Amino acid sequence: MMFVVRRLMLTIPILLLVSIMTFSLIHMIPGDPARVILGQEATPEAYQALRTELGLDKPIVEQYFSWLGKVVQGDLGMSITDRVPVSELILQRLPATVELTIGTFIVAILIAFPAGILAAVRRGTWVDYTSTFAALGGMSIPSFWLAMMMIIFFAVENQWLPSSGYVPFSENPAQNLMAMILPCVATGLRESAVLMRMLRSSLLDVVNMDFIRTAKAKGLNEARTILGHALRNAMVPVITTSGLMIAGLLGGLVITESIFSIPGFGRLIVESVFKRDYVTVQGAILVSAILVVLVNLVVDILYAVIDPRIKSGKGAGE
Amino acid sequence: MFSKKMNKTLISAVLGTMLLVTGCGGGSGSSAPAPSDSNNAGTAAPAPSNEKKVLNIGLKADPPSMDPTISTSLYDRQVYASLYDKLFEIAPDGKIVPMLVDTYEVSADGKTYTFKLKKGVKFHDGTDFNAEAVKFNFERNLTTEKSKRKGDLKYVEAVNVVDNDTVTVQLKEPFAPFLSVLTDRAGMMVSPTAAKEKGDDFLNAPVGTGPFVFVKQVKGDSVSLKKNENYWNGEVKLDEVNYKVFTNGTAKVQNLRSGMLDIIDETPTKEIPAVEGDANLQLIAESGMGYQGLHFNNTQAPFDNKYLRAAVDRAIDREALVKVLFNNYAAPARTAFAKGSLAYNEELNKPVAPNADEIKDLLAKGGKPDGFEFKLLITTAPENEQLGAVIQNMLKQHGINAVLEKVEYGQLLEAGSKGDFQAMQLGWSGRQDPDGNFHDFVVTGNTNNYGRISVPQLDELVLKARGEQDEAKRKALYDEATKVAQDEAVYAYMYHQYVLIGMNKKVTGFTYVPDGLIRTATLDKQ
C-alpha cells in the first residue's frame, strides 16, 4: 500500500514536467493560433479580438500559470475551436481508444502466446523459423498499409466486415464489435510480433535454468513444465513489454483511428495540434501522461503478483 | 527432450488457439450475415431492420461549428446545406435565385432591397420564419462579438420590417454582390428563439429551416441529422443524413467502395481511377469557383519589378501542369474567374504556352538577363510539394531558380499577412460573385492582398464593378480589370480546382451546383 502511495506521489512532479514541456512545445510551433483558427478569412480586427479572447497577448509564463491554476481545480478549460469543455471531449474520445487498445492487446496475446511458446519449445525447427519469419514480417509491415489491405479484402472485395462505422458499445454492442474487428486485428498483428519475440527469448532463458531441470527430473510432463513453471517465470519481461505497448497504444493509435474513422483519443490530440486548439492539446496530453503513469503502476503491481520475490526486494529469476 | 505424445498435445493446443484467433479475423465476418444479406455493406453500419433511408457522406475534415455566424470552415458549409436554408440560392447554372425570399426588388440607386418572404416556413423548433426573424439574423451577424459575417454585410445600414412577410434592407452604398452574399452563410436563417436561448452554445444545438434537423455531433468525428418532416420545399426522401470525417483520402474512397459511405465531398486525384473503375460508383467532376496560383510580393525585390513577375508568370506551362499533377482534373487558369462565373472570359483565361524568347526579353527588361533566384513559400501537404517541384522545374528552363521553402499552413498565412515573403503558393476556394474572388485580393490595402498589390487603375475598376448593377457592364469592367492584372502580372493564376465528388450510383436526385456543396434536400437512395 505504501508502495502505491509513494508511486502516486512521484507522479506529481512528472505531470508538472509534462505540462511545462507540452505548453512550451505547442507555443513553439510556428504559426499563430489565432491566424490558423481564422484562416484566410481573417480581418485584422477579428484577429486581434481572437488573440485577446485566447489570452495570447499575455506573457507566456502568465498564460501557463493561469492554465495550471484551473487544472489544479480540475478544470481543463474550454476547447478553443469546439467551445466545449476539454474534459468532455476527452471523455467522448477515450472509450473508443481504450476499447481499441484492449482489442489490440487481446489479438496480440492470442497470437503471441501460442506462437512464442511453440517457437521456444520447438527451437531451431521449421516451427521456430516460420514464426520468427512471420514476426519479423509483422514488425516490418506498416500498420496503415496492412489496414488498407484488410479493408480492401474484407470490406470492399468480399463485404464480410464493415470498413468503418464505429458506434459506442453502449449504443449498439453488435455493431460496435463488428466495426472493431478489422482495426483490432490490423494493429494486433503488428503488436503480436513484438510480444511473441519477447516471450520466445524469455522462455528460452528460463527453460535452461536449474528449476526446470529439477521439474523435469521429478517426472513432470512437458506441457505442465512449460505452462506451470517456465511460463510464469518468463512473464516479467513480457509484462514490461505489454505495459509499454499499452501505454503507447493509448495515445498512439492515430493512424488506425483515422483509417477506420474511429473517434479516438490519438486523433483528438493530432487534430487539436493541427487546429492549434492548444487548450485541448494540453489537457489531452496531461491525461495521456496520467494514463501512462497508471499503466506503469499496474505493471509494477503485477510484477509482485507474478513473482513474490520482487516485493521483498529480491531480483527476479534468481 | 519431450515425448512424442506430449509434443502432439502441445502443438494441437497451440494450433487450436491460433485458429481461434484467425477465426476472429475472417471467420466471424463470413458468418455475419448483416452486410452481405442486403448486398450492400452500407447497411452494415446503420441498423438495416426498419428500412430507414440513411445517407452517409464522407468529409475531408471536421466541421468545427454548426453556427453560420461564427463559421470559418468549408466543411461547416457542407453540413449547413442540409441544416439551413438561405434567403437566396445558387441555381445549377450559377445564377442567383430566391430561396426563402419569394420575390424581391432593388431600388434604382441599388441601395434598397425589398424582400417578400415565403409564407408558411417554420424553423425546426416550430417557430415561424418571418420578417422579424430576417431582421434578427442580420442583426445577429452584424453585432455578435464573435461574428465572422461582419465583413460580408459591412454595407448594410439598416434592416426594416415592413409587415410580417416583407423586409427592406438599406445599404450604405450600392453593392452589386449583395445577393450573392446572401446565398452563403450571411443569408442563412437561424431560429431567433433558439439563438437567444442558447447564446454561445448555439453552435452545439443549431436550429434552422433546412431539410434536415440536427441530432448530434461527435466533435472531430461525425454529425448526425434526421429528416425535417415539415419541410416547406417538398417532401424530403431520406430519413437520416450522417456526415463522417475521413482525414485519410484513400480510406475515404475505400469506404465509398465498400458502401459505408454513399457520397464523398472530394476525391484525391490519385484515387480517381479507383472511383471510375468501380461499376457501382460515379465521379462528378466539375470546375469549382476558385483558383490556385502564386502571390508575388509586389513591394519587395525581385518582384517589385513587374517584368520579373511577368517572366515567372509566363514561364509556367499551365496545360502541362494540370496534366501532370491532376490528370486534367483541373482547368488551366490565367484569371481569377472560373467557368460559370459572371466574369469568366474564355479568351483571357486561355493558357499561353511559354515562349522562351518572350521570357528572355522580360528578364532583360527586368535587369536580370541571366535569370535570378527567389524564395517560394509552399505548404507541406504532399500535393503542394509536388506542385512546388513542377513549378521549380518549369522556371529552371529559363534560368529562374525558385528555392522552395516548405512551411506549415498557419505560418504561410502569417508570412502573407506580414508581407514577409518573396513569393508564396496560396489560392482561394472561390465565391459565386466575381467580387469575392477579386476585391479582397487585388485592391490596395485589403486583407487578403498578401502581395501588397497596388495598381490605381485596377482599384478603380474593381470598385466600380462592385457598385455596377448592370450585369453586362459589370462583366466588361472585370474583363478590363483582368487585363490590367495580367499586364502587371500582379499574381500568377495557375489553375482552377475541380470539385470531384464521388458517389454511389444508388444515390439519385443529385444536381451539381457551382459552389460544390452537396444539397441533400432532393437526394434519394435506391
Side-chain angles (χ1 to χ4, degrees):
Chain A
M1 198 55 217
M2 266 317 287
F3 163 74
V4 175
V5 174
R6 210 167 53 228
R7 282 296 302 266
L8 284 177
M9 295 293 287
L10 205 67
T11 61
I12 294 169
I14 294 176
L15 293 180
L16 266 179
L17 202 68
V18 168
S19 76
I20 292 173
M21 280 173 65
T22 318
F23 201 90
S24 346
L25 279 176
I26 189 119
H27 280 86
M28 272 190 311
I29 305 177
D32 186 89
R35 190 76 69 199
V36 177
I37 292 165
L38 291 175
Q40 261 173 285
E41 301 186 22
T43 58
E45 305 83 55
Y47 171 69
Q48 271 316 326
L50 189 64
R51 276 185 68 87
T52 316
E53 187 191 331
L54 301 181
L56 292 172
D57 45 358
K58 293 184 191 130
I60 184 156
V61 180
E62 194 183 326
Q63 287 182 50
Y64 174 74
F65 280 105
S66 95
W67 174 77
L68 190 66
K70 285 186 196 141
V71 170
V72 173
Q73 295 164 39
D75 175 11
L76 289 177
M78 200 78 154
S79 154
I80 291 173
T81 48
D82 294 340
R83 319 268 163 154
V84 279
V86 171
S87 49
E88 198 178 295
L89 280 179
I90 293 172
L91 285 177
Q92 215 173 37
R93 301 296 203 98
L94 211 48
T97 295
V98 169
E99 193 187 345
L100 190 55
T101 303
I102 293 172
T104 299
F105 189 59
I106 291 174
V107 172
I109 283 183
L110 286 180
I111 299 173
F113 269 68
I117 294 171
L118 262 187
V121 171
R122 315 289 294 132
R123 184 189 184 184
T125 67
W126 65 269
V127 183
D128 186 17
Y129 295 137
T130 311
S131 42
T132 303
F133 181 77
L136 286 176
M139 281 190 262
S140 330
I141 293 174
S143 59
F144 66 87
W145 183 84
L146 187 65
M148 209 52 86
M149 290 301 120
M150 288 176 73
I151 288 182
I152 291 174
F153 184 74
F154 289 105
V156 178
E157 302 295 337
N158 290 302
Q159 310 215 332
W160 289 335
L161 288 166
S163 49
S164 62
Y166 171 87
V167 289
F169 187 80
S170 53
E171 229 169 75
N172 186 340
Q175 192 187 327
N176 170 280
L177 292 178
M178 287 292 285
M180 275 303 193
I181 294 174
L182 282 184
C184 289
V185 174
T187 37
L189 278 178
R190 187 188 152 79
E191 302 296 337
S192 74
V194 184
L195 269 192
M196 179 254 158
R197 295 297 297 160
M198 182 53 75
L199 182 63
R200 177 186 174 275
S201 59
S202 170
L203 256 184
L204 283 178
D205 284 346
V206 175
V207 163
N208 293 325
M209 284 181 179
D210 290 346
F211 75 95
I212 293 292
R213 222 177 6 241
T214 314
K216 277 188 218 149
K218 280 198 310 193
L220 278 187
N221 67 37
E222 185 183 20
R224 285 190 65 184
T225 317
I226 296 291
L227 301 176
H229 294 270
L231 197 56
R232 187 170 179 161
N233 281 279
M235 280 312 281
V236 170
V238 177
I239 287 177
T240 313
T241 315
S242 304
L244 288 172
M245 187 175 112
I246 290 176
L249 287 174
L250 282 171
L253 283 164
V254 189
I255 292 170
T256 313
E257 286 168 1
S258 31
I259 288 182
F260 291 98
S261 182
I262 297 169
F265 190 56
R267 247 173 85 194
L268 176 70
I269 298 177
V270 173
E271 279 160 11
S272 307
V273 171
F274 281 127
K275 290 194 278 192
R276 295 290 188 287
D277 185 352
Y278 60 91
V279 180
T280 305
V281 176
Q282 278 151 214
I285 292 197
L286 197 68
V287 170
S288 187
I290 293 173
L291 288 175
V292 171
V293 169
L294 286 180
V295 168
N296 281 327
L297 184 64
V298 172
V299 165
D300 284 349
I301 294 170
L302 274 181
Y303 285 158
V305 174
I306 291 281
D307 189 344
R309 288 167 297 180
I310 290 180
K311 201 161 34 182
S312 59
K314 289 184 190 167
E318 280 175 3
Chain B
M1 192 169 161
F2 298 105
S3 74
K4 275 223 169 103
K5 198 179 156 203
M6 273 291 86
N7 252 351
K8 271 189 187 159
T9 324
L10 202 63
I11 288 180
S12 53
V14 164
L15 285 177
T17 327
M18 289 180 92
L19 271 178
L20 199 77
V21 174
T22 40
C24 282
S28 72
S30 54
S31 64
S36 39
D37 251 12
S38 55
N39 198 22
N40 170 21
T43 50
S49 51
N50 44 4
E51 284 188 40
K52 267 190 187 169
K53 284 189 177 176
V54 180
L55 188 84
N56 295 305
I57 301 177
L59 295 182
K60 189 186 178 186
D62 181 45
S65 156
M66 292 296 106
D67 182 351
T69 300
I70 59 167
S71 161
T72 54
S73 158
L74 167 68
Y75 305 96
D76 287 343
R77 294 165 70 208
Q78 287 286 7
V79 184
Y80 296 168
S82 294
L83 273 180
Y84 298 109
D85 292 318
K86 305 162 291 187
L87 293 177
F88 287 84
E89 171 65 309
I90 302 171
D93 63 0
K95 295 240 155 47
I96 296 172
V97 291
M99 192 176 195
L100 286 171
V101 164
D102 196 29
T103 55
Y104 69 99
E105 272 172 40
V106 189
S107 66
D109 64 358
K111 283 165 73 175
T112 310
Y113 286 72
T114 308
F115 299 143
K116 279 262 177 213
L117 306 175
K118 289 232 162 72
K119 288 178 186 167
V121 178
K122 283 194 186 299
F123 288 105
H124 301 153
D125 58 4
T127 56
D128 287 328
F129 165 74
N130 53 27
E132 282 297 339
V134 174
K135 184 179 162 73
F136 172 86
N137 272 280
F138 270 102
E139 283 169 359
R140 181 167 185 261
N141 281 328
L142 283 167
T143 56
T144 304
E145 196 192 343
K146 290 168 187 162
S147 169
K148 304 290 185 305
R149 303 281 81 82
K150 288 175 187 166
D152 295 340
L153 300 174
K154 69 175 169 193
Y155 289 100
V156 173
E157 190 168 61
V159 181
N160 298 307
V161 173
V162 178
D163 59 43
N164 195 41
D165 308 308
T166 315
V167 74
T168 60
V169 182
Q170 191 67 42
L171 300 187
K172 290 170 193 158
E173 52 187 273
F175 179 57
F178 183 57
L179 292 185
S180 93
V181 163
L182 301 181
T183 65
D184 200 348
R185 287 168 290 204
M188 288 178 188
M189 294 292 116
V190 311
S191 157
T193 315
K196 282 179 210 157
E197 191 186 309
K198 296 286 177 189
D200 268 1
D201 200 39
F202 184 77
L203 88 169
N204 292 318
V207 179
T209 62
F212 290 89
V213 181
F214 181 79
V215 178
K216 69 165 183 179
Q217 176 174 27
V218 178
K219 297 276 183 186
D221 181 62
S222 61
V223 182
S224 310
L225 314 178
K226 65 172 189 206
K227 174 180 179 172
N228 177 358
E229 300 287 351
N230 307 310
Y231 191 48
W232 60 274
N233 197 11
E235 168 87 9
V236 180
K237 295 171 191 96
L238 298 164
D239 295 298
E240 286 174 23
V241 170
N242 299 310
Y243 292 88
K244 298 276 295 168
V245 180
F246 280 87
T247 43
N248 182 306
T250 307
K252 190 167 67 171
V253 169
Q254 292 306 334
N255 274 277
L256 181 69
R257 293 184 65 207
S258 79
M260 294 304 290
L261 294 174
D262 302 299
I263 305 184
I264 57 175
D265 62 341
E266 55 180 273
T267 310
T269 314
K270 71 179 167 77
E271 298 296 336
I272 289 174
V275 175
E276 287 193 316
D278 192 317
N280 298 322
L281 305 179
Q282 57 176 322
L283 182 76
I284 288 150
E286 297 274 355
S287 180
M289 290 177 161
Y291 59 81
Q292 288 292 330
L294 305 179
H295 284 273
F296 299 121
N297 190 335
N298 285 236
T299 57
Q300 212 184 77
F303 294 123
D304 51 353
N305 184 318
K306 86 169 191 183
Y307 296 108
L308 299 182
R309 294 196 298 264
V312 171
D313 180 57
R314 307 289 188 271
I316 297 168
D317 185 343
R318 271 82 166 171
E319 262 174 308
L321 187 136
V322 295
K323 192 166 187 337
V324 170
L325 288 174
F326 303 101
N327 201 15
N328 286 329
Y329 281 106
R334 286 199 65 229
T335 74
F337 311 112
K339 215 171 175 173
S341 164
L342 167 72
Y344 174 68
N345 182 320
E346 199 179 341
E347 206 45 50
L348 291 175
N349 193 55
K350 203 188 253 167
V352 183
N355 176 330
D357 292 333
E358 187 198 359
I359 295 162
K360 213 170 170 180
D361 189 41
L362 286 168
L363 286 172
K365 279 185 187 160
K368 302 271 184 195
D370 302 322
F372 64 100
E373 186 176 288
F374 71 96
K375 206 153 74 175
L376 174 61
L377 300 188
I378 200 149
T379 56
T380 46
E383 55 271 25
N384 284 344
E385 291 186 13
Q386 273 181 346
L387 174 62
V390 169
I391 296 171
Q392 196 177 37
N393 263 310
M394 288 176 173
L395 298 182
K396 200 176 272 169
Q397 295 168 25
H398 304 282
I400 305 168
N401 184 19
V403 180
L404 297 183
E405 189 174 313
K406 292 166 195 165
V407 293
E408 213 252 352
Y409 180 65
Q411 212 180 339
L412 188 81
L413 293 184
E414 203 164 327
S417 291
K418 289 184 180 156
D420 184 17
F421 68 98
Q422 290 183 314
M424 62 191 249
Q425 198 284 309
L426 184 68
W428 177 240
S429 60
R431 289 294 178 268
Q432 191 273 343
D433 191 276
D435 185 76
N437 279 12
F438 225 33
H439 178 267
D440 286 1
F441 301 87
V442 298
V443 171
T444 310
N446 277 352
T447 43
N448 281 332
N449 183 352
Y450 293 153
R452 273 78 188 146
I453 299 165
S454 183
V455 183
Q457 201 192 348
L458 190 58
D459 290 356
E460 198 190 312
L461 287 165
V462 176
L463 290 173
K464 211 166 152 193
R466 223 173 197 209
E468 180 57 62
Q469 297 292 317
D470 184 274
E471 285 202 351
K473 285 183 190 160
R474 258 191 104 195
K475 183 176 175 348
L477 287 169
Y478 282 120
D479 283 349
E480 216 179 314
T482 298
K483 280 181 205 151
V484 175
Q486 285 182 345
D487 284 344
E488 292 285 324
V490 291
Y491 176 97
Y493 298 97
M494 295 192 300
Y495 62 92
H496 299 295
Q497 313 89 306
Y498 268 24
V499 176
L500 296 161
I501 298 172
M503 194 184 303
N504 195 307
K505 284 181 181 161
K506 285 180 179 158
V507 179
T508 54
F510 180 85
T511 315
Y512 180 78
V513 177
D515 62 7
L517 302 176
I518 300 161
R519 272 120 176 120
T520 50
T522 54
L523 292 185
D524 197 358
K525 199 170 153 185
Q526 301 306 317

